[in-house]
Amino acid sequence: MSTPAKNSQSPTPGQTIGPFFGYALPYEGDADLVPPGSPGSIRLHGWVYDGAGNPIPDALIEIWQTDAEGNVPQAEGSLHRDGWTFTGWGRAATDLNGHYTFSTVLPGASEKGKAPSAAPSFGVTVFARGLLDKLHTRIYLPEHAANAGDPLLVSLSEDERATLVATADATGLRFDIHLQGDRETTFLTYR
Amino acid sequence: MTAPTKKPPVETQADLSAEIAKIEADSEGRNVRQPLLDYPPYRSSILRHPTKDPRHADPETIELWSPCFGHSDVDPLEADLTIAGSNEPIGERITVSGRVLDGEGRPVRNQLVEIWQSNSAGRYIHKHEQHPAPLDPNFTGVGRCLTDDEGRYRFQTIKPGPYPWGNHINAWRPAHIHFSLFGRAFTQRLITQMYFPSDPLFALDPIYQSITSQQARDALVATYDHDLSTPGYSMGYSWDIVLTGPSRTWTEPEEGDL
């Protein structure tokens, strides 16, 4: 399925997003994969914390996900949302309280998964001032039956697993990100 | 421990440079291509780096694809940062162009490239950026484009200036342009910075030096390219970007190509 990673070319190194992306990367509708409050929509939100437990007001979170039926979206239009097209990708900067919010739908399980037993999840990248390169992680759905057989989740300790599963709240899902500390989020590298 | 950025710095450049040199010596012989996330000379990283190694995961199907961007997303005029105002921005007009490639040297086609940068005086349009350098009403410092069928991007802009920051006493960032890139797969997502050749601030800058391999650091420095210079108009810099990470099987032509 995936190309054998020969990687004859050396990768270009990452660098921090820095403090001044706020006028460049966020845009109107960036975090609204579906219109807030539309049928089937959920709020996916949370807080981003540093190792002292302080919220991070200059982080940027991006999500990439299947649609509710588990299809991989390949429609353009993320930068100019028409309110009807599901592009599967969104971007949310944290506010002064370190809080981010997306309006989206629950991802469906992909039938064609590389790992057939994989549970549905949101793909996540995290950027922040002070963070020298991107971080990858996933957000899994709470109490989803497929979680018990998900290859990544079963490979983790109970504490690590807990950092990757969202909690349900009145409007959808809450997922906090801890860059460091006792509740440090489990971050991923792909093989 | 309180957030280090909230206290005025007490360390001098000599203190910082000694820390940088020690880490570089300690990591000699280890070919680390990416920045060290735990890099104390960059003070803001102290509380913002994970302490555990990342877990290895087999990519899920969705992670082997990238979001799709197209002509409804990006106006070709967004690649010219010099036309935002009614007059010409102040500074050295430059063209920055290059190719976005995957780890096997294949072009990343029709994909989004976003840039942002300071103006020629080293000032960003950002309310938290208050150092006494002038804003330029004719320059916002923000651009976007889509790569072409060869993976090529091209921006028209002005050369950014170095600027001071609060990491330590008399800290200055080398001039740079921030780049945000999407590859052929979500695993390849990258945000980085492009620098200009022979900048005297390289040795002093903890963000650039957080990459301990000189060869890897060099990969962030553009090359002056006289063939990209336009007679009587602008200076040319070329810079290629390689995005690695697992992706789908390569097809030719790629699915979804127009």
Side-chain angles (χ1 to χ4, degrees):
Chain A
M1 181 76 199
S2 64
T3 308
K6 278 184 265 174
N7 288 343
S8 56
Q9 310 269 318
S10 293
T12 302
Q15 291 270 265
T16 182
I17 194 170
F20 301 132
F21 61 85
Y23 74 95
L25 296 183
Y27 58 92
E28 187 181 349
D30 55 2
D32 296 337
L33 287 77
V34 299
S38 58
S41 67
I42 60 156
R43 178 171 73 149
L44 168 64
H45 76 120
W47 281 262
V48 183
Y49 296 103
D50 71 12
N54 294 315
I56 297 181
D58 41 18
L60 187 77
I61 311 300
E62 293 177 350
I63 61 170
W64 170 230
Q65 63 167 106
T66 56
D67 67 16
E69 285 76 46
N71 303 305
V72 175
Q74 283 294 282
E76 62 183 62
S78 291
L79 300 183
H80 294 286
R81 306 229 188 246
D82 65 10
W84 299 97
T85 306
F86 187 74
T87 66
W89 181 82
R91 169 182 282 169
T94 55
D95 65 17
L96 291 174
N97 295 320
H99 185 237
Y100 72 90
T101 301
F102 291 97
S103 171
T104 188
V105 296
L106 293 176
S110 171
E111 293 295 313
K112 298 176 291 186
K114 177 182 172 64
S117 55
S121 61
F122 300 88
V124 180
T125 42
V126 181
F127 306 94
R129 180 180 67 83
L131 179 61
L132 278 155
D133 199 4
K134 68 171 178 182
L135 296 172
H136 280 286
T137 189
R138 289 180 189 160
I139 303 173
Y140 286 89
L141 313 183
E143 295 175 21
H144 193 285
N147 287 357
D150 182 83
L152 175 66
L153 289 181
V154 300
S155 75
L156 301 177
S157 71
E158 194 172 329
D159 285 349
E160 290 171 325
R161 194 156 51 236
T163 71
L164 297 188
V165 182
T167 53
D169 68 9
T171 51
L173 297 176
R174 174 175 169 179
F175 184 81
D176 292 349
I177 296 170
H178 296 262
L179 295 188
Q180 197 184 84
D182 294 343
R183 295 155 73 193
E184 185 173 307
T185 301
T186 301
F187 297 103
L188 305 178
T189 185
Y190 298 103
R191 56 189 161 205
Chain B
M1 196 178 210
T2 54
T5 51
K6 288 180 181 163
K7 295 179 295 189
V10 294
E11 298 92 344
T12 63
Q13 182 68 56
D15 297 330
L16 254 289
S17 293
E19 288 183 41
I20 289 170
K22 181 169 189 317
I23 295 170
E24 174 127 0
D26 289 348
S27 57
E28 196 176 343
R30 290 166 39 209
N31 185 23
V32 181
R33 299 284 316 181
Q34 296 296 336
L36 300 175
L37 299 182
D38 179 6
Y39 193 74
Y42 177 28
R43 298 299 189 229
S44 302
S45 76
I46 292 172
L47 287 171
R48 295 186 173 191
H49 71 272
T51 58
K52 297 176 184 139
D53 289 335
R55 300 296 295 240
H56 291 269
D58 289 317
E60 246 283 44
T61 301
I62 185 75
E63 291 161 335
L64 293 170
W65 293 76
S66 252
C68 180
F69 299 93
H71 298 295
S72 71
D73 290 301
V74 183
D75 186 320
L77 292 176
E78 293 181 68
D80 189 343
L81 287 74
T82 67
I83 56 173
S86 50
N87 291 302
E88 293 283 328
I90 292 171
E92 177 184 337
R93 201 187 286 112
I94 60 173
T95 302
V96 180
S97 183
R99 296 178 73 201
V100 184
L101 305 168
D102 74 6
E104 294 175 60
R106 303 173 300 206
V108 176
R109 295 171 172 154
N110 307 318
Q111 199 40 286
L112 178 66
V113 181
E114 298 164 284
I115 66 168
W116 70 104
Q117 62 167 95
S118 73
N119 67 24
S120 61
R123 182 86 188 262
Y124 284 86
I125 299 183
H126 191 287
K127 56 185 178 296
H128 292 151
E129 220 277 77
Q130 295 289 347
H131 90 276
L135 287 170
D136 183 339
N138 296 306
F139 190 71
T140 60
V142 180
R144 288 176 184 153
C145 75
L146 294 174
T147 57
D148 67 14
D149 281 348
E150 296 182 323
R152 193 170 300 281
Y153 70 88
R154 183 186 177 98
F155 291 103
Q156 199 67 45
T157 185
I158 54 106
K159 195 172 182 181
Y163 62 85
W165 61 309
N167 192 68
H168 52 281
I169 296 168
N170 204 14
W172 292 81
R173 292 296 328 280
H176 59 274
I177 298 177
H178 294 270
F179 271 72
S180 165
L181 300 139
F182 293 80
R184 299 185 63 250
F186 188 63
T187 62
Q188 299 173 353
R189 182 84 176 90
L190 183 73
I191 288 182
T192 189
Q193 302 179 23
M194 185 206 89
Y195 299 91
F196 292 86
S198 305
D199 195 311
L201 294 168
F202 284 156
L204 310 180
D205 178 43
I207 292 178
Y208 176 76
Q209 294 290 336
S210 69
I211 305 158
T212 56
S213 154
Q214 181 66 52
Q215 192 193 20
R217 288 197 293 264
D218 288 345
L220 294 181
V221 182
T223 305
Y224 172 69
D225 184 345
H226 200 64
D227 291 336
L228 257 183
S229 295
T230 307
Y233 188 75
S234 72
M235 307 290 280
Y237 288 90
S238 66
W239 185 54
D240 291 347
I241 299 143
V242 179
L243 306 174
T244 60
S247 67
R248 316 181 297 294
T249 306
W250 175 259
T251 53
E252 183 73 47
E254 192 177 6
E255 290 168 60
D257 274 359
L258 295 174

